[in-house]
Amino acid sequence: MSAQRESVSLSSRAVRDASVVAVIVTYRPELPGFFRLLDSLAAQVKAIVIVDNGSGAELSAAIQGRQQQAEVFLPLGENQGIAAAQNIGIARAHGLGATHVVLFDHDSHPAADMVARLLACLQRLESEGRRVASVGPCYSDERQDNPPPFIRVSGLSLKRCHRPEEGDAVAVDYLIASGCLIPMNVLADVGEMNADLFIDYVDIEWGQRARSRGYQNYGCFSARMQHALGDEPIYFLGRAYPARSPLRHYYMFRNAVHLYKMSHIPLDWRVVDAARLLPKFGFYVLFAPPRWQQFKMMSLGVLHGLVGRAGKL
């Protein structure tokens, strides 16, 4: 059997034997792109759970106007954070009989076979005796020339993982939440997302927590997805850097400090991440307007991380 035919066979069997529910967290999405995501997922999963973080009546009306039978809409009324929304969606997926959940942000666009390829990848890894926490797609941001998105810490340096010569999966420290496929039995063992973090570093903390319990996360190169990283990028010396609001930088820096204090976060990872975070502080103060507000919110984030303040600001 050729490699291509084997991949198709594995994908078909994985889809048949699994019950995958997509959980999408929304916050003021642009409707055309969001509906394109829903249409793409309709043919790939058993059901779609949409958890809205307080986008308002306009989104509720738009979804109810086009709602399909396999779509469940859960408006929260206020922004409770991505972690809390994911937990609510995962709980509903469990009630729908899901064997796996696949998480999404509202601005991601998976390839038509992404879920099947992730399932096939996970199935192959499990057949080899691996304890798989999650598998995620190779994503790209069309606004940028992205390097390989899968990373892991080796020694005291950060390594970008390239596609292996054999197979299409590589072990990574964590995966971004959007596009991440997780078996429900792993969630039951590792636990839900950390709602105290609210947003940012949520996926990193869960991935590292899973690793501390003997599981491994894997990036799957054959599964593809488009995903927007941050706001409109900042271009500097010919390169594009993700831009974020001062509030997002508050959560990023605060939650980074929170993770550095957690016992299940490896020491080498803390050192490498902190070494990357310090230059980001200077870069965003210098090049991301409004500069004073950026400085203020990042500094406040560090302070709140040190004193243990969590949840929504």
Side-chain angles (χ1 to χ4, degrees):
M1 180 184 290
S2 69
Q4 184 178 10
R5 288 178 59 195
E6 181 182 5
S7 176
V8 172
S9 175
L10 282 168
S11 297
S12 300
R13 189 171 68 208
V15 170
R16 185 177 66 246
D17 294 344
S19 178
V20 182
V21 173
V23 174
I24 308 172
V25 177
T26 56
Y27 181 68
R28 301 176 181 174
E30 295 183 1
L31 292 180
F34 174 52
F35 287 163
R36 190 162 67 249
L37 169 62
L38 294 179
D39 292 338
S40 173
L41 287 175
Q44 300 193 55
V45 298
K46 172 187 175 181
I48 301 171
V49 177
I50 305 160
V51 186
D52 181 61
N53 259 329
S55 298
E58 182 180 354
L59 178 63
S60 297
I63 291 177
Q64 291 167 5
R66 62 138 278 153
Q67 194 165 0
Q68 308 296 314
Q69 185 175 358
E71 295 175 4
V72 177
F73 181 53
L74 303 176
L76 301 184
E78 63 176 355
N79 189 353
Q80 297 186 23
I82 193 166
Q86 287 171 343
N87 291 336
I88 291 168
I90 290 167
R92 177 57 66 92
H94 181 266
L96 294 172
T99 58
H100 304 72
V101 292
V102 57
L103 305 177
F104 283 99
D105 296 342
H106 64 242
D107 54 0
S108 297
H109 300 290
D113 62 351
M114 190 201 83
V115 175
R117 288 187 178 275
L118 289 178
L119 276 166
C121 181
L122 185 146
Q123 186 180 59
R124 284 194 297 270
L125 292 166
E126 290 182 332
S127 71
E128 297 168 1
R130 315 285 182 90
R131 298 187 74 209
V132 183
S134 61
V135 291
C138 188
Y139 66 89
S140 59
D141 186 339
E142 61 186 9
R143 304 169 304 177
Q144 306 180 40
D145 182 19
N146 295 113
F150 303 128
I151 61 175
R152 65 170 175 255
V153 169
S154 177
L156 290 179
S157 62
L158 186 72
K159 303 291 186 183
R160 290 201 174 270
C161 305
H162 295 268
R163 188 166 189 158
E165 292 184 4
E166 295 185 7
D168 67 343
V170 62
V172 296
D173 290 346
Y174 68 92
L175 296 161
I176 68 165
S178 196
C180 185
L181 179 76
I182 308 174
M184 292 297 291
N185 64 327
V186 174
L187 280 162
D189 186 22
V190 175
E192 61 184 11
M193 306 300 159
N194 188 337
D196 284 344
L197 298 178
F198 193 77
I199 191 170
D200 284 315
Y201 277 80
V202 173
D203 40 16
I204 298 175
E205 188 278 327
W206 189 90
Q208 294 285 21
R209 187 173 3 128
R211 293 182 67 221
S212 74
R213 301 192 181 190
Y215 293 94
Q216 182 62 61
N217 308 287
Y218 290 90
C220 178
F221 283 91
S222 62
R224 309 291 299 188
M225 182 180 76
Q226 287 285 329
H227 178 70
L229 295 167
D231 301 326
E232 192 63 28
I234 298 171
Y235 294 94
F236 178 71
L237 297 179
R239 289 188 59 187
Y241 296 86
R244 298 174 182 86
S245 69
L247 181 60
R248 283 298 299 271
H249 279 142
Y250 162 82
Y251 286 115
M252 175 187 290
F253 280 79
R254 186 197 72 180
N255 291 345
V257 176
H258 274 303
L259 261 66
Y260 301 159
K261 295 157 61 178
M262 294 179 179
S263 61
H264 61 272
I265 305 298
L267 177 60
D268 57 352
W269 190 91
R270 300 181 220 181
V271 172
V272 171
D273 191 73
R276 295 176 66 213
L277 206 62
L278 284 172
K280 288 181 181 179
F281 190 104
F283 177 83
Y284 288 117
V285 168
L286 291 174
F287 300 107
R291 295 175 180 84
W292 167 247
Q293 195 68 9
Q294 294 282 10
F295 173 80
K296 176 183 175 182
M297 295 304 288
M298 288 187 290
S299 300
L300 183 64
V302 172
L303 175 62
H304 283 180
L306 291 171
V307 301
R309 180 166 175 175
K312 187 176 181 179
L313 180 64

